[in-house]
Amino acid sequence: MMKNRSETFGRLLKAGIGSIVICEGTKAPVVEDDLGQQIGVSADAIQRYKAGALPPEPRTVQILADACVRRGFMNREWLQSFLHAARYHQSDKLLDQLCPLGPIRPRPPRVYENLPAPTYSQFVNRPQVFAEVADGLGKRTAAVLIVGMGGNGKTSLAREVAACCLRDGGEVPHFDAVVWVSDKDRPGTTNLSIVLDETARTLDYPGFTQFDHDEKRREVEQLLKRQRVLLVLDNIETVTDGALLTWLLNLPEPSKALITSREKHRALWSSWLVELRGMSDAEAQTLIAQRLQALQLSKIAGGDLAHFEPLITVTGGNPKAIEMTLGLVKHERRPLQQVVDDLYAARGNLFDDLFARAWALLDEAARRVLLVATFFPASASGEALSATADVQGFAFDRAVERLADLALLDVQQVDLHSPPRYVLHPLVRAFAGARLAEQAGFEEGARLRWAADLEARVSQAIARQPYWELTVLAESDLSARTFLDWANRTEHWESFLTIYRRVAPFWSVRGLFDVRNHYTGLAIAIARSMGRTEDAVNFLASYARLKAYMGDRTTAEHSLAEAMALRSDLANKAVSLGTNNILAISRTDAQVESEKRLTTVSLGTNNILAISRAVLDLYAGQPAAALATLFEQQPESLPNEIAQNEVAQNQHDYWIGRCLIELGRYVEAQSTLERVLERAERIGSARTGGNSANLLVAICIAQGDVDGAAHYHARSITIAKHVNDQRQIAELRRVTGRLWAMQGNIPAARSSLAEAIDRFERLGMRRELAEARAELARLDASDAPIIGASGA
């Protein structure tokens, strides 16, 4: 008589139930109780099945198989093995029912693009030039150059073509990705390195930005060879980097460049040329009809657009000039012909006259809003514009309406559910920038109001639990960089450091390591020049840790040595001050407070440097030395100002946990990291919390605790959903692969490890990349579960 037991059945059922636990973020007893109720047995019976006891009825096998496939997303390979182990007699029928072999609908591929939102509600099609651009993109030439005077619609045309290239419409060649770079945001600053960085980030390889220039160029060129990428360079007439222009003309196939310029750049003569002139009468009339409707002038204008022919003639069919002129017609409250006659009579540049007349129609509030709009390189929210310009309520709404009517402010709105954002046309930006330069006092006050507004909004976001929202910083990132450049240039260094501290964590979370490196270097120099030794030590230590993460040990050690030298100066100053105060016959309250502050600062920097030293040693394969350093600098031995800083305590304990794992001391590591995770969840410290949860998953796997691993895995997923920390997510995919492997789902384990490898490569995390590749190789070689916790 055949025994009613199968160890294979029990192992496969554990994997299936474990998958349900992971996918639903619950606990195994809850799932087992639910399955028992469906079958009509107790949860103890489910435990016996997991131990290898075979169910007595086929119906029980059906319910278990259905739950694991539907709720746990187990695949056909698992189901086939499960039914065979269960000795289910009609396995083929149930296999085809639960996991049919028919065509599987693939998950829609992610579209990699960074296109700006359109400023037009409906694109006015220009069939001839559109076809010329499409024809050029189909040729062997590397670049297509669109040339036309300012306001002719080069940017709108390029954006529409690029959007069409991402669709399979057939009008234009298809591209897998679009990378948009515009020199209008910071005229004259775009160079080859910036384009390489933006390409790497848009294609989701932010780690490449950390490489030296030659390696970065090679890696980006490999990306351009592996897929069809359309690289759009807008407003290239202000670019002065000859290396960039040469590179564009030699772009590796199958990728292409689409370039817009106001002039036929000599260095780009070998590109495919498309000249964009003014609109034809039919095209201009379509634009006029749209604009009249937006200005609520359609009824007054009537249905016949033929009488707008003089307007088309005087503007040369220039779309921007047409929009501005119609705005003048509305707000100057004069007949169209009189406005047109004035344009005919005006001498000099058409736009000089249009801007001068539009400026005269603006009240003080509208002028302030227009001037501060230049602070925002990409786009601005209404709230940020209002706060920066110090124009609120009805006055702001009226100002924005007037600016939009006069085509001085363009409106971006993705859909009806998203708030509008405001952008400047390059011609308007140049005009407003010139007016701003005439009012230096206004600029300083407005810049500082912008900084105060961001500080207030970030403070509000941080107060939200469980984890603070990053939306504010995501929307303000480019504007923050512009502010930091201004603050550094004008020596508003206190404001620089304030904003830097707010946005630097965001750059790390989003993988913008090159941006953080650049501004950290400035922050270090500023802190030193201000005599802010404590800040300089903190920034240098942070920079050292970042370089260690990225595998640049030489730079990391150099930065840490600098920080240590500054710390020694700080400590000597504290000792000197203390000695002087002791020798003094009497000490003032100010002297006492100064002594206490300097001593606290010195000890605080010791704690920060201890963590940094430990990180470098740990990444160098010396966990025992790292642990000794951390134990020498326990937070509870520090003054209350530091010991009560739970964020600092958590960082310290987190790295102790990391060291203990590397030394194989799992019980101590688990106790330490559980404390870290609970504290992180309470205070909203997302990065420490997410990383600790991942490490706890790895520890549970190493100890064979599937339920514990699933529990911490669910907590890590919760944090990842809130914060989208790229490094934490990469680690999450790695421990997910280990968990799948432990549960016997080898195909899913391979998939998760492959995704982790891809993310580590994109982030430039070479140490973790090598470890994950080794894990996948071991998995492929043995099909055995991965249970180690090293390197998690």
Side-chain angles (χ1 to χ4, degrees):
M1 184 173 173
M2 187 178 292
K3 291 175 62 178
N4 290 323
R5 292 190 61 79
S6 169
E7 296 300 327
T8 301
F9 173 82
R11 179 172 58 81
L12 291 170
L13 181 58
K14 285 181 182 178
I17 291 176
S19 298
I20 297 174
V21 170
I22 293 173
C23 295
E24 296 184 352
T26 185
K27 296 182 179 180
V30 176
V31 175
E32 291 164 6
D33 184 64
D34 179 48
L35 291 173
Q37 290 183 29
Q38 293 182 48
I39 297 169
V41 299
S42 67
D44 290 338
I46 305 298
Q47 286 285 347
R48 288 196 297 273
Y49 299 152
K50 289 173 64 177
L54 293 177
E57 299 178 354
R59 172 180 169 274
T60 301
V61 176
Q62 292 174 15
I63 292 174
L64 293 173
D66 177 74
C68 292
V69 171
R70 181 171 46 83
R71 297 166 59 187
F73 300 101
M74 301 301 283
N75 59 18
R76 185 181 175 94
E77 182 180 352
W78 173 89
L79 179 59
Q80 190 171 28
S81 300
F82 178 77
L83 296 177
H84 178 74
R87 301 161 194 164
Y88 188 80
H89 295 295
Q90 295 181 319
S91 60
D92 290 344
K93 181 178 179 181
L94 187 58
L95 189 65
D96 291 335
Q97 177 184 332
L98 297 180
C99 295
L101 282 173
I104 300 174
R105 180 181 299 175
R107 182 168 56 182
R110 173 179 170 181
V111 178
Y112 295 95
E113 52 88 6
N114 64 336
L115 289 172
T119 57
Y120 45 86
S121 57
Q122 183 177 350
F123 179 70
V124 176
N125 190 24
R126 306 180 70 175
Q128 182 178 346
V129 290
F130 195 96
E132 289 178 17
V133 174
D135 188 31
L137 291 175
K139 303 296 183 183
R140 292 294 300 275
T141 182
V144 175
L145 176 62
I146 303 174
V147 175
M149 70 173 289
N152 262 357
K154 300 183 296 298
T155 298
S156 296
L157 175 63
R159 194 217 171 276
E160 193 68 17
V161 168
C164 289
C165 287
L166 291 171
R167 303 191 292 264
D168 293 320
E171 297 178 273
V172 292
H174 176 74
F175 285 84
D176 304 312
V178 172
V179 179
W180 183 281
V181 180
S182 179
D183 197 54
K184 75 174 183 179
D185 299 338
R186 298 180 179 183
T189 62
T190 302
N191 55 34
L192 177 55
S193 183
I194 286 175
V195 172
L196 293 174
D197 288 345
E198 190 62 33
T199 302
R201 282 193 287 264
T202 303
L203 299 180
D204 201 19
Y205 282 85
F208 288 4
T209 62
Q210 285 293 288
F211 300 161
D212 63 57
H213 181 78
D214 290 340
E215 184 181 8
K216 176 166 59 179
R217 176 173 172 170
R218 286 194 301 271
E219 293 293 346
V220 169
E221 287 176 350
Q222 288 301 314
L223 294 178
L224 298 177
K225 290 177 182 177
R226 293 204 299 261
Q227 56 192 316
R228 291 178 58 83
V229 179
L230 180 61
L231 184 57
V232 185
L233 271 294
D234 191 31
N235 290 92
I236 205 169
E237 67 273 359
T238 51
V239 170
T240 58
D241 183 18
L244 170 59
L245 303 181
T246 301
W247 184 75
L248 291 173
L249 293 179
N250 294 278
L251 211 62
E253 292 185 301
S255 296
K256 299 279 186 181
L258 179 60
I259 304 166
T260 73
S261 177
R262 295 184 196 175
E263 57 189 40
K264 299 177 184 178
H265 211 296
R266 181 183 296 273
L268 298 173
W269 279 0
S270 61
S271 59
W272 183 271
L273 179 64
V274 176
E275 294 196 57
L276 183 62
R277 297 184 174 85
M279 287 180 158
S280 67
D281 287 354
E283 294 165 354
Q285 287 179 4
T286 301
L287 174 65
I288 290 170
Q290 291 181 8
R291 192 64 183 166
L292 289 173
Q293 185 175 12
L295 293 169
Q296 300 181 340
L297 295 177
S298 297
K299 291 183 178 180
I300 300 175
D304 185 11
L305 297 178
H307 58 276
F308 284 93
E309 184 177 344
L311 171 60
I312 299 172
T313 301
V314 73
T315 59
N318 185 292
K320 191 66 178 177
I322 290 173
E323 291 177 342
M324 292 187 68
T325 304
L326 291 175
L328 293 176
V329 170
K330 175 178 179 178
H331 288 284
E332 287 185 342
R333 302 184 183 279
R334 293 193 298 152
L336 172 66
Q337 191 57 51
Q338 286 187 17
V339 176
V340 169
D341 288 343
D342 285 349
L343 292 178
Y344 268 120
R347 296 180 178 180
N349 186 284
L350 171 66
F351 281 102
D352 287 345
D353 185 63
L354 287 172
F355 283 130
R357 293 169 63 178
W359 181 258
L361 291 171
L362 303 179
D363 60 14
E364 180 63 21
R367 289 183 177 184
R368 292 168 69 94
V369 172
L370 180 61
L371 294 178
V372 302
T374 62
F375 298 174
F376 302 87
S379 64
S381 66
E383 293 83 355
L385 277 179
S386 174
T388 308
D390 194 21
V391 177
Q392 287 83 30
F394 175 72
F396 176 76
D397 293 339
R398 185 178 60 183
V400 168
E401 182 180 3
R402 175 66 60 93
L403 291 168
D405 282 352
L406 293 170
L408 295 175
L409 201 60
D410 295 327
V411 182
Q412 289 180 340
Q413 191 162 13
V414 177
D415 52 49
L416 293 176
H417 305 289
S418 60
R421 296 185 67 84
Y422 303 95
V423 297
L424 292 180
H425 185 278
L427 291 174
V428 181
R429 183 178 293 277
F431 168 78
R435 300 287 79 76
L436 181 66
E438 299 168 357
Q439 304 184 43
F442 170 78
E443 179 177 8
E444 180 180 25
R447 294 273 190 190
L448 297 178
R449 281 195 298 272
W450 177 90
D453 175 65
L454 179 66
E455 172 74 10
R457 287 189 290 145
V458 170
S459 297
Q460 291 175 358
I462 290 176
R464 300 171 192 160
Q465 296 295 328
Y467 301 103
W468 60 293
E469 297 289 337
L470 294 176
T471 306
V472 172
L473 289 176
E475 292 178 347
S476 305
D477 178 32
L478 290 178
S479 302
R481 297 186 219 174
T482 301
F483 174 84
L484 291 173
D485 292 341
W486 172 85
N488 181 47
R489 187 174 62 251
T490 58
E491 299 185 2
H492 284 77
W493 289 338
E494 193 68 49
S495 296
F496 179 102
L497 296 180
T498 298
I499 297 302
Y500 167 79
R501 290 192 190 92
R502 286 305 195 193
V503 297
F506 168 79
W507 293 328
S508 290
V509 167
R510 287 294 186 265
L512 300 173
F513 305 126
D514 59 318
V515 177
R516 178 155 192 175
N517 278 350
H518 171 69
Y519 287 105
T520 298
L522 292 178
I524 292 168
I526 288 171
R528 281 181 149 174
S529 66
M530 295 176 68
R532 300 276 286 272
T533 307
E534 177 189 9
D535 285 332
V537 171
N538 291 344
F539 299 153
L540 280 164
S542 173
Y543 187 71
R545 291 196 299 273
L546 180 60
K547 284 301 183 180
Y549 297 150
M550 308 310 297
D552 186 355
R553 183 171 178 81
T554 301
T555 304
E557 289 286 1
H558 176 75
S559 299
L560 186 57
E562 279 193 78
M564 297 285 285
L566 285 177
R567 190 278 312 268
S568 296
D569 293 342
L570 193 65
N572 291 336
K573 190 181 295 185
V575 171
S576 175
L577 180 60
T579 302
N580 291 339
N581 285 337
I582 290 171
L583 294 175
I585 296 175
S586 62
R587 292 185 294 170
T588 65
D589 290 343
Q591 286 175 322
V592 173
E593 288 303 314
S594 178
E595 179 185 352
K596 288 171 59 180
R597 166 63 182 158
L598 200 51
T599 303
T600 299
V601 167
S602 178
L603 290 171
T605 55
N606 284 349
N607 185 49
I608 292 165
L609 291 172
I611 293 175
S612 298
R613 178 69 268 164
V615 171
L616 269 62
D617 287 343
L618 186 64
Y619 272 62
Q622 301 170 19
L627 187 62
T629 299
L630 291 169
F631 279 151
E632 288 173 5
Q633 192 70 25
Q634 291 283 18
E636 56 264 25
S637 67
L638 302 177
N640 287 337
E641 291 88 340
I642 301 169
Q644 293 174 1
N645 185 335
E646 292 186 296
V647 174
Q649 280 188 332
N650 243 19
Q651 288 179 345
H652 188 273
D653 291 346
Y654 168 78
W655 287 106
I656 287 179
R658 284 285 300 265
C659 294
L660 291 170
I661 289 176
E662 294 291 341
L663 293 169
R665 295 160 61 178
Y666 295 152
V667 174
E668 297 170 80
Q670 183 167 357
S671 174
T672 300
L673 290 170
E674 282 176 343
R675 183 171 65 249
V676 171
L677 176 57
E678 290 171 3
R679 186 189 289 141
E681 289 176 328
R682 176 167 51 79
I683 65 178
S685 181
R687 164 156 287 180
T688 305
N691 290 338
S692 297
N694 287 338
L695 290 172
L696 286 164
V697 174
I699 292 171
C700 290
I701 291 173
Q703 297 176 325
D705 181 3
V706 179
D707 292 343
H711 169 71
Y712 292 119
H713 185 271
R715 289 167 77 172
S716 179
I717 290 175
T718 299
I719 297 172
K721 287 180 179 178
H722 275 283
V723 183
N724 194 25
D725 184 329
Q726 294 303 302
R727 282 191 285 177
Q728 184 221 333
I729 292 173
E731 288 288 2
L732 176 59
R733 298 314 302 157
R734 175 156 62 161
V735 296
T736 300
R738 293 172 177 174
L739 189 52
W740 286 122
M742 186 181 187
Q743 294 173 339
N745 193 342
I746 304 303
R750 287 195 185 100
S751 177
S752 287
L753 277 172
E755 184 178 343
I757 288 169
D758 179 63
R759 288 181 178 273
F760 286 138
E761 182 180 12
R762 292 174 183 274
L763 292 169
M765 299 173 68
R766 294 177 172 177
R767 176 178 183 267
E768 291 79 1
L769 175 61
E771 291 171 348
R773 282 175 171 165
E775 290 183 15
L776 183 58
R778 291 196 298 271
L779 186 64
D780 289 338
S782 63
D783 275 3
I786 303 170
I787 60 175
S790 176

